[in-house]
Amino acid sequence: MKNIAVIGAGTMGNGIAHVFAQNNFKVNLIDISEASLEKGITTITKNLDRLISKEKITEDVKTNTLANITTYSSIPNGVKNKDLVVEAATERTDLKLKIFKELDEICQENTILATNTSSISITKIAAVTNRPDKVIGMHFMNPVPIMKLVEIIRGYSTSNETTDAIMNLSLQLGKTPTEVNDYPGFVANRILMPMLNEAIETLYNGVAGVSEIDTVMKLGMAHPMGPLQLADFIGLDVCLSILNVLYDGFKNPKYAPCPLLVNMVMAGKLGVKSGEGFYDYSESKKAEKIAKQFS
């Protein structure tokens, strides 16, 4: 497998494309938005420059990586004659089902269809195709170029051949693939999201403030990032979506999203992506932070 297509040029999609391209795979990066494609390539370029500044890669590696990526704004054109298609679109069940139905109709018979979903059933996604044995979950962690784990999720009908191929492919990317079964949230988010939700509940109940909660978890539990900051980084809308998948899947009240999280998402306070969540990421705050460094 050397010819890859990645659908979605957002945070996860451009990260996945970056990793494949840096490891000498030919990658088609697909998004219906030209602006998203431009932003995705800009992000990849900045991340490569950051690796150069840290002496992790050379200028030649950057040049080759970017040369390995071709952008497309059309799925049919972008997935033609590909060995693997990795879907990294928004975490919405209806959208993913629509994409996989289309992919099944236009991709060649031996193409493996993978999804980067962090919580939605692989079996459900595979059921809209005529190749459920070739549908698999390939859940990368954010930031993709840095994080080593890839959660490999088998659907009910995913074949051993498909699973082995994706496990081996992940190793070629320098990742550590870990096989899990198809249950809501898989392993990563089944454990992570209730913890983030509990941190939000702790704030909601007035037990402590935002920085205090994060400080306790960073210094007391050796977490590299506090749970509220991490929720901002993931996106509060994404956290809410995953919690809803868990709650719908298990019907267990422990997965019910905190009312504060629901209200923040409705108010458009989504974290880093919107400029404000539990923390303020606005330009004025950034300027204030820089000013303090030189005061």
Side-chain angles (χ1 to χ4, degrees), residues 7-35:
I7 297 176
T11 300
M12 296 305 294
N14 72 61
I16 294 167
H18 173 165
V19 168
F20 272 109
Q22 192 174 320
N23 285 278
N24 296 315
F25 290 84
K26 296 296 182 182
V27 182
N28 285 358
L29 180 59
I30 307 164
D31 200 297
I32 58 172
S33 166
E34 291 285 357

Side-chain angles (χ1 to χ4, degrees), residues 210-255:
V210 171
S211 62
E212 288 78 10
I213 291 168
D214 278 356
T215 298
V216 167
M217 296 305 291
K218 285 191 288 185
L219 300 185
M221 309 303 164
H223 290 196
M225 186 184 292
L228 299 177
Q229 185 182 13
L230 178 57
D232 274 354
F233 186 74
I234 293 169
L236 302 190
D237 54 336
V238 176
C239 293
L240 178 59
S241 176
I242 296 169
L243 283 164
N244 282 331
V245 168
L246 290 167
Y247 184 61
D248 291 343
F250 292 115
K251 301 294 188 285
N252 188 323
K254 75 177 181 179
Y255 297 114

Side-chain angles (χ1 to χ4, degrees), residues 1 3 9 11 43 45 50 52 54 87 134 165 182-183 199 235:
M1 279 193 285
N3 296 304
T11 300
T43 299
T45 303
R50 191 174 294 115
I52 290 171
K54 294 180 179 179
E87 171 273 317
K134 290 184 172 63
D182 186 20
Y183 291 96

